[in-house]
Each structure stands twice: as structure tokens, then as C-alpha cells.
Amino acid sequence: NAGVTQTPKFRILKIGQSMTLQCAQDMNHNYMYWYRQDPGMGLKLIYYSVGAGITDKGEVPNGYNVSRSTTEDFPLRLELAAPSQTSVYFCASRRPGQGLDYGYTFGSGTRLTVV
Amino acid sequence: DQQVKQNSPSLSVQEGRISILNCDYTNSMFDYFLWYKKYPAEGPTFLISISSIKDKNEDGRFTVFLNKSAKHLSLHIVPSQPGDSAVYFCAAMNNNDMRFGAGTRLTVKP
């Protein structure tokens, strides 16, 4: 059982480039989330999805896009990379109805640097 | 607006003693509170949670206390072990909006 898998683990982008951060889970979780963590700060929610075809903005969505075509995958797209998007990105998932006694399951993160 | 605050960036305790990590929040609409543990180069791992209708939840060496009137929660680890050394994040939730504190780095010395 792999849990939540994020790829790539590291990436360096030039300003203005675009890329997609991949996230896949094999736990049949309906709810999926994208967070970013800046140095010395807590995680901030970028986007989330409650099921295939349904996405919604979180606290810091500007500069990002998401899609959810399947239950398993929730990619995060950066269209025009900016230095302010240098961060560590975490994907997470949970099963609805299981309550929050188990929290979210997080991936190991993608460290992105924009130069 | 930082709705969840962990005012101590670091904490150092001796093995076998109690570790107390603190967290304050400002939004009274939060209905669930969680603690996560994070090792370097890994994602956060869920540790323990508490509903807003309770004031204490215990799981082995870990106990979370919630004081709603003070908008404060704490995580107690007894006894502390060197393997507990990590960054601990406090989180608070309302619907699908989970807000995190900045984390406290706990070091347990042998």
C-alpha cells in the first residue's frame, strides 16, 4: 500500500516556465488537498477536491491550477513560475465519513525552486 | 491572518521527562484540532486529534488537552523518547479548511 505518492521530489524551474506536480493515492480516498510550506511557516492550503470532477480554491490559489479527472490523481499545475512559488509542496488525502480521528495522509513532498 | 499559532519555535527536553507543546487559535468556528509530526524530507504524519466537544484525548504516551474558553490546546508526551525528536504541527479544522501553525521543533536528549 503506497499511500500518497508525489513526483518529482525536487525541481528547479526558471521564471516563466511551467510544470505539473503529480500526486496519486491508492487508498480510494475521495478528498485530496494541495498544501505549500514556506520556511518557518505552517502549511497553507492551495486547492482541494472532494471527488472526481470537483475542485475548489483554498487559502492561496493564485498562480496555480488543478484538475481531478480520476479518484486517484490530483495534479497541480504552475503556469508561469515566479520566485514566490519557491516552496515545498505537499499533497494529502482522506476518506470522507471516516472522521478526523485519522487525520490526513500526506505525501513526502516536492521541493520546488524558481530561479 | 494567522489563525493558528505556535509561539515556541523549539523545545528541548531530557529523555524520560514530559514534553509540552502549545498551540493557540483565534477562530471559534474550528471544530476539530489535530497534531502532526514531521521528520526531515518526509510529509507530516498524523499523531492525535480532538473534537471541540471534548477537553482531553489520550493515545498511549500522547495526550491532547483543549481549553476552548482560552482557545488553547496542548500536546503532552510522557515519557519523552529520542525518537520523538521532530517538528510538531498543530492544526485546526472547519469543514475542509485545515489551518496549520508554524511548528515547534522538539529535541529529546538522551
Side-chain angles (χ1 to χ4, degrees), chain B:
Chain B
D1 64 337
Q2 197 162 357
Q3 298 186 24
V4 180
K5 296 180 182 179
Q6 294 177 256
N7 291 318
S8 298
S10 63
L11 174 68
S12 181
V13 299
Q14 208 67 35
E15 181 180 6
R17 305 295 290 268
I18 184 171
S19 295
I20 300 176
L21 295 94
N22 293 302
C23 178
D24 298 293
Y25 63 95
T26 58
N27 188 346
S28 58
M29 297 300 292
F30 289 136
D31 55 8
Y32 232 94
F33 304 89
L34 305 92
W35 285 94
Y36 287 85
K37 177 179 179 179
K38 185 181 181 303
Y39 293 117
E42 295 183 10
T45 302
F46 171 73
L47 195 57
I48 192 169
S49 65
I50 187 168
S51 164
S52 61
I53 63 174
K54 297 184 178 180
D55 56 17
K56 177 183 175 181
N57 188 27
E58 191 172 353
D59 184 2
R61 296 186 298 114
F62 303 92
T63 303
V64 56
F65 295 92
L66 176 63
N67 182 336
K68 283 185 66 178
S69 61
K71 294 190 175 68
H72 177 84
L73 65 155
S74 61
L75 174 68
H76 292 211
I77 307 174
V78 183
S80 301
Q81 299 173 353
D84 296 329
S85 296
V87 176
Y88 289 78
F89 290 99
C90 167
M93 185 144 181
N94 177 29
N95 292 325
N96 266 309
D97 188 0
M98 184 177 287
R99 301 290 178 113
F100 286 79
T104 297
R105 181 177 300 279
L106 172 66
T107 303
V108 180
K109 297 179 178 179

Side-chain angles (χ1 to χ4, degrees), chain A residues 37-108:
Chain A
Q37 185 191 11
D38 299 326
M41 304 290 286
L43 284 74
K44 293 193 175 182
L45 182 64
I46 306 171
Y47 270 95
Y48 69 96
S49 169
V50 298
I54 306 169
T55 62
D56 211 342
K57 295 178 180 179
E59 188 182 358
V60 290
N62 291 344
Y64 307 95
N65 278 301
V66 293
S67 59
R68 185 91 183 273
S69 57
T70 67
T71 300
E72 294 78 20
D73 300 297
F74 190 38
L76 178 71
R77 179 83 177 164
L78 283 72
E79 290 295 348
L80 290 170
S84 60
Q85 294 178 304
T86 294
S87 191
V88 181
Y89 291 83
F90 291 101
C91 179
S93 72
R94 77 173 176 100
R95 190 193 309 272
Q98 104 186 86
L100 287 165
D101 295 335
Y102 304 96
Y104 291 6
T105 301
F106 280 87
S108 58

